[in-house]
Amino acid sequence: SGFSTALTAIDFITLQMEYRALMAEFNEYLARQSTLSAQEMEAEQTRFRNEQLELISQYTAFIDANPYFSAIEQPGGGSLAEAADLYYNLAELQYYAIPTDLTLALNSYKRALQLDPLLPDRDLALYNVAFISSELQRRAVDDAKIAYRETARGLDNPPANALYSQQNFSEAHESLTEIVENYPESKIWEESVYRLGLLYFSYSTDSDDPDPLRAQALDYFDQIVAKPKSPLYYDALYQRGWVRLNSMDQDDLRLAMTDFMELLMATDAGLISDPQVAADYREDAVDNIAYCLIALDGTDFNARSRGVAELQRVFEGYSNQQIVEQVLDRSTSLKLDMGVS
């Protein structure tokens, strides 16, 4: 029995070493992916996927034979090597090797969390559960929305499964909340805060009472914007402006324009390193400032335009005249589309 146990532990160690070697090589490939030709990248992807699938088969066979594996007992209790470690690594392999069925990776991450509540990478496992779960649920909700629109009659309310709601996204919501509340030092803490902001805003889009949900989303984005050195700073700044724009409140519209103006100035100053991201933010900021200007005028088309005064305020001291003209052109185009210019 002891000899058999020792052999099983050796098999576990061998599996873990193979996993670490393969994933180290795979991560190195991901880092240099942009330097490869399309043909080289396809060949590398095929090779890695085949090797990952082979290792998945080995992990699955080991787990089937040792569903509650535990070895190398520790003085304070527990074991250094447990089945939860196997499920976590299996999930990582499944995520990359089987992208067409993310439920496999999701279930393996959840099993790892279930087997070991003190899993060393619990925060990462929770984040991956939240990410995969939210993506799968988003597809399900979007499909339900399409089905509803195709069959709805008159003023029929959409079914519960066709709504962006905390109930429908409870798994992702609870996982992210646990990270934010219990793992403030985690490397994915800010990303979790950011994603909670996105979730709360999505809930607001299908809610009969959206204001508290938008306020909660703003609170999460504010936490990121309060850290100017955060890699998510400009993403959170944009999302905060977008949430404010959607409230249609006059004060929120002015604050939204201030956020979008900061994005414009950041792109002008080269503070956003990725040129494509900078270009996208610049284009979106121009459009969104124009939307805000139109929204400030509301439906009172006889009164003096409040948008004109706000345009002067927002662009005071701003030297990029080309951007100013783009905002004016976009605002004019929007009014023409509304038939009120």
Side-chain angles (χ1 to χ4, degrees):
S1 174
F3 182 69
S4 176
T5 300
L7 286 179
T8 302
I10 291 172
D11 290 340
F12 170 85
I13 293 170
T14 301
L15 272 179
Q16 296 296 72
M17 290 177 65
E18 289 182 6
Y19 167 82
R20 290 173 184 172
L22 177 57
M23 294 306 288
E25 188 181 0
F26 181 66
N27 288 328
E28 187 273 333
Y29 152 72
L30 292 177
R32 60 182 174 84
Q33 198 174 31
S34 60
T35 66
L36 301 176
S37 68
Q39 186 176 7
E40 290 172 329
M41 190 162 65
E42 183 178 359
E44 288 282 80
Q45 285 177 336
T46 300
R47 178 175 73 85
F48 278 116
R49 183 161 296 175
N50 288 337
E51 292 183 14
Q52 289 165 343
L53 288 170
E54 172 58 29
L55 196 51
I56 286 172
S57 296
Q58 295 178 41
Y59 264 87
T60 302
F62 186 93
I63 290 172
D64 287 345
N66 308 277
Y68 299 101
F69 173 77
S70 179
I72 315 176
E73 293 184 3
Q74 298 299 289
S79 301
L80 185 62
E82 296 188 348
D85 304 309
L86 292 166
Y87 275 104
Y88 182 87
N89 290 349
L90 177 61
E92 294 280 284
L93 291 167
Q94 290 168 326
Y95 177 79
Y96 289 110
I98 316 175
T100 54
D101 187 4
L102 291 177
T103 58
L104 295 172
L106 176 62
N107 290 335
S108 293
Y109 282 124
K110 289 163 66 174
R111 183 61 174 154
L113 291 167
Q114 179 186 29
L115 287 173
D116 185 4
L118 300 178
L119 188 73
D121 289 325
R122 182 174 178 83
D123 57 332
L124 301 182
L126 285 167
Y127 180 83
N128 291 331
V129 165
F131 176 78
I132 297 173
S133 175
S134 63
E135 290 302 306
L136 294 175
Q137 192 59 35
R138 185 172 289 110
R139 296 177 198 173
V141 169
D142 288 345
D143 288 345
K145 284 181 180 291
I146 292 172
Y148 160 71
R149 290 168 186 153
E150 290 176 344
T151 59
R153 297 182 179 179
L155 299 176
D156 287 351
N157 290 321
N161 69 333
L163 299 176
Y164 282 92
S165 65
Q166 187 170 335
Q167 178 180 357
N168 284 336
F169 288 83
S170 59
E171 188 167 65
H173 187 107
E174 291 168 7
S175 297
L176 292 171
T177 300
E178 182 176 340
I179 297 170
V180 171
E181 292 181 351
N182 297 340
Y183 298 93
E185 303 303 320
S186 172
K187 64 181 180 181
I188 40 86
W189 185 86
E190 289 186 1
E191 182 76 24
S192 300
V193 170
Y194 178 75
R195 287 191 172 274
L196 273 173
L198 294 177
L199 278 180
Y200 269 103
F201 176 67
S202 72
Y203 304 157
S204 75
T205 62
D206 281 336
S207 173
D208 293 330
D209 186 19
D211 289 346
L213 297 168
R214 281 195 291 258
Q216 187 64 64
L218 289 174
D219 179 70
Y220 283 116
F221 294 135
D222 283 344
Q223 292 182 55
I224 305 299
V225 175
K227 301 180 177 183
K229 293 185 179 180
S230 168
L232 293 171
Y233 177 81
Y234 291 112
D235 299 297
L237 186 70
Y238 176 85
Q239 294 297 337
R240 187 175 73 175
W242 182 247
V243 174
R244 287 169 167 168
L245 185 159
N246 278 268
S247 82
M248 300 302 287
D249 175 81
Q250 298 281 309
D251 291 335
D252 277 341
L253 290 169
R254 293 184 177 93
L255 289 170
M257 285 194 289
T258 300
D259 285 342
F260 295 131
M261 271 304 304
E262 184 176 346
L263 275 172
L264 283 177
M265 291 187 287
T267 61
D268 289 348
L271 299 178
I272 300 176
S273 57
D274 188 312
Q276 186 57 57
V277 172
D280 290 343
Y281 274 143
R282 184 183 299 111
E283 181 179 354
D284 288 345
V286 166
D287 284 347
N288 292 341
I289 291 173
Y291 286 130
C292 288
L293 293 172
I294 297 300
L296 281 168
D297 284 340
T299 57
D300 184 358
F301 303 116
N302 296 316
R304 182 178 184 276
S305 172
R306 288 185 291 266
V308 172
E310 284 303 315
L311 182 67
Q312 295 171 342
R313 178 189 68 81
V314 168
F315 283 109
E316 184 178 2
Y318 184 69
S319 59
N320 191 333
Q321 191 60 33
Q322 182 181 9
I323 292 294
V324 178
E325 291 174 0
Q326 287 178 11
V327 171
L328 286 170
D329 289 344
R330 186 68 177 125
S331 299
T332 301
S333 175
L334 287 170
K335 278 205 168 185
L336 286 172
D337 290 343
M338 295 168 66
V340 295
S341 63

